[in-house]
């Protein structure tokens, strides 16, 4: 008899049936008693190009149906070590982005108050700003691993401070980040000026552009990042558009020349041993994802994030 919640198995209920929760885990209201939880934030009013990420959490949950509890590669068995549930969606205000930001921050204050580690299904990248605000209130400034095609450090978009191209600028302004422990991986594409990426470098952040990742394993990079972050509390924010559109076309602001799925796995698995306090997977836009593969990748990466949380261990194989 297991002490912890288990995903509903494929021999108990066909995988196309049963609850439409993340990994077919039990649904729960609030994070009381949980070590970690999946949370959806169904929003797209921070997007600047193609919308649709409001439908991301539902589609990620649907594509998570095939996920089994044991990680064959890393030997992680998260449901033997952590109490996990899907606590549903944040009740955002779909007509008001600024109110939505305060709603998200308040919701995450509650989750963190229970000591649960949130794993977030986005939703557009604006959401990481209020999540990091709540992280700061709970943990103080955090180290950040930000995987993305874009820097998301614009001061404003269309004159607005709240947008999916601005969350890390806002987090920096609010002193949410440990500047010499911020790593941006996968940045690429066209810009307005070199400052698009160099602003971050000028503030002590490390930027690893996509071209530096081509043809390479990212395991050595992650070893270096782990050494530099040490035991500082660390947040992982993973924008699905970091992946090449050959893998993940279902997103709003697509850039060619991106990461591969196996590099994405190396990044997330390379977070094992860090003091992760939360993680998100953002920018999945189901209307542009007719095969479901983008949401499928997102579901798998969220599972891999669960597998590297403190307390899971790696089962011995590493
Ligand atoms: Mn982003
Ligand atoms: Mn992006």
């Amino acid at each position: 008899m297991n002490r912890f919640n288990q995903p509903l198995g494929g021999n108990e209920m066909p995988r196309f049936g049963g609850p439409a929760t993340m990994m077919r885990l039990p649904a729960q209201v609030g994070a009381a008693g949980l070590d970690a939880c999946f949370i959806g934030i169904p929003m797209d009013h921070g997007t600047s190009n193609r919308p649709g990420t409001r439908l991301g959490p539902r589609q990620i949950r649907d594509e998570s149906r095939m996920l089994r509890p044991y990680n064959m590669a890393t030997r992680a068995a998260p449901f033997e070590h952590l109490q996990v549930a899907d606590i549903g969606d944040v009740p955002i205000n779909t007509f008001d982005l600024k109110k939505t930001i305060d709603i998200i921050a308040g919701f995450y204050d509650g989750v963190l108050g229970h000591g649960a580690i949130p794993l977030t299904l986005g939703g557009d990248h604006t959401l990481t700003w209020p999540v990091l605000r709540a992280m700061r209130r709970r943990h103080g400034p955090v180290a950040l691993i930000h995987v993305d095609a874009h820097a998301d450090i614009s001061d404003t978009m269309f004159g607005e401070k709240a947008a999916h191209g601005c969350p890390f600028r806002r987090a920096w302004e609010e002193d949410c980040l440990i500047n010499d422990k911020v790593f941006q991986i996968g940045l690429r594409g066209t810009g307005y000026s070199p400052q698009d990426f160099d602003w971050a470098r000028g503030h002590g952040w490390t930027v690893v552009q996509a071209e530096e990742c081509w043809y390479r394993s990212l395991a050595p990079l992650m070893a270096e990042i782990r050494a530099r972050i040490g035991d500082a509390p660390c947040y992982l924010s993973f924008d699905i558009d970091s992946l090449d559109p050959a893998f993940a076309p279902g997103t709003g602001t697509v850039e060619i020349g991106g990461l591969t799925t196996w590099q994405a796995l190396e990044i997330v698995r390379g977070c094992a041993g860090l003091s992760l306090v939360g993680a998100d997977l953002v920018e999945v836009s189901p209307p542009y994802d007719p095969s479901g593969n983008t949401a499928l990748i997102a579901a798998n990466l969220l599972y891999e994030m669960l597998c590297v949380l403190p307390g899971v261990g790696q089962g011995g194989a590493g």
Side-chain angles (χ1 to χ4, degrees):
M1 199 65 171
N2 280 295
R3 288 186 298 138
F4 300 119
N5 290 340
Q6 299 295 310
L8 182 59
N11 296 312
E12 301 165 70
M13 169 67 75
R15 292 201 171 272
F16 42 84
T21 55
M22 185 67 185
M23 289 193 74
R24 313 200 312 165
L25 282 162
Q28 172 176 323
V29 176
L34 300 180
D35 300 306
C37 54
F38 292 105
I39 307 169
I41 306 185
M43 64 183 288
D44 58 9
H45 41 347
T47 57
S48 57
N49 190 30
R50 307 191 303 197
T53 58
R54 64 175 61 187
L55 302 170
R58 281 198 172 206
Q59 196 66 32
I60 294 169
R61 288 185 173 106
D62 193 21
E63 293 293 343
S64 76
R65 69 171 79 159
M66 275 289 290
L67 291 170
R68 307 168 189 89
Y70 182 70
N71 191 319
M72 301 303 291
T74 68
R75 303 192 172 222
F79 304 104
E80 291 179 14
H81 300 279
L82 302 180
Q83 179 72 321
V84 189
D86 184 334
I87 67 165
D89 293 333
V90 179
I92 59 105
N93 182 330
T94 197
F95 303 107
D96 191 320
L97 182 55
K98 290 173 184 140
K99 284 182 181 169
T100 290
I101 285 160
D102 290 336
I103 291 167
I104 295 168
F107 191 98
Y108 280 72
D109 284 338
V111 170
L112 297 176
H114 286 297
I117 298 177
L119 299 172
T120 302
L121 290 60
D124 76 65
H125 220 157
T126 316
L127 66 87
T128 305
W129 168 25
V131 172
L132 287 172
R133 182 188 287 172
M135 290 289 165
R136 188 191 187 291
R137 291 197 277 240
R138 176 76 182 181
H139 299 290
V142 296
L144 174 70
I145 300 172
H146 168 212
V147 191
D148 203 321
H150 312 97
D152 291 357
I153 51 165
S154 296
D155 185 27
T156 60
M157 299 184 88
F158 246 73
E160 297 293 332
K161 295 273 191 186
H164 76 154
C166 308
F168 300 103
R169 185 65 161 261
R170 298 288 90 76
W172 170 80
E173 285 174 349
E174 294 185 2
D175 198 23
C176 298
L177 305 174
I178 304 171
N179 285 308
D180 63 352
K181 298 181 191 293
V182 175
F183 299 86
Q184 297 186 297
I185 306 170
L187 277 54
R188 61 186 187 272
T190 50
Y192 292 100
S193 84
Q195 274 301 106
D196 291 10
F197 297 164
D198 288 347
W199 182 92
R201 293 181 171 116
H203 288 81
W205 303 8
T206 300
V207 178
V208 183
Q209 293 183 218
E211 289 78 1
E212 300 171 66
C213 302
W214 288 357
Y215 320 117
R216 286 181 51 197
S217 165
L218 297 186
L221 172 67
M222 293 311 297
E224 181 189 335
I225 288 174
R226 284 195 305 276
R228 287 181 53 190
I229 290 178
D231 57 6
C234 179
Y235 189 84
L236 170 63
S237 186
F238 202 112
D239 185 327
I240 199 69
D241 72 25
S242 59
L243 290 172
D244 191 86
F247 298 96
T251 189
T253 41
V254 177
E255 310 284 357
I256 69 164
L259 306 181
T260 64
T261 46
W262 41 99
Q263 287 176 318
L265 289 168
E266 287 177 326
I267 290 170
V268 179
R269 290 174 182 170
C271 290
L274 290 170
S275 298
L276 283 176
V277 292
D280 60 52
L281 191 301
V282 299
E283 297 284 350
V284 172
S285 178
Y288 299 97
D289 188 29
S291 71
N293 280 353
T294 309
L296 178 72
I297 294 167
N300 275 271
L301 293 178
L302 281 155
Y303 167 70
E304 295 283 343
M305 291 171 185
L306 179 68
C307 287
V308 294
L309 293 186
V312 172
Q314 295 299 295

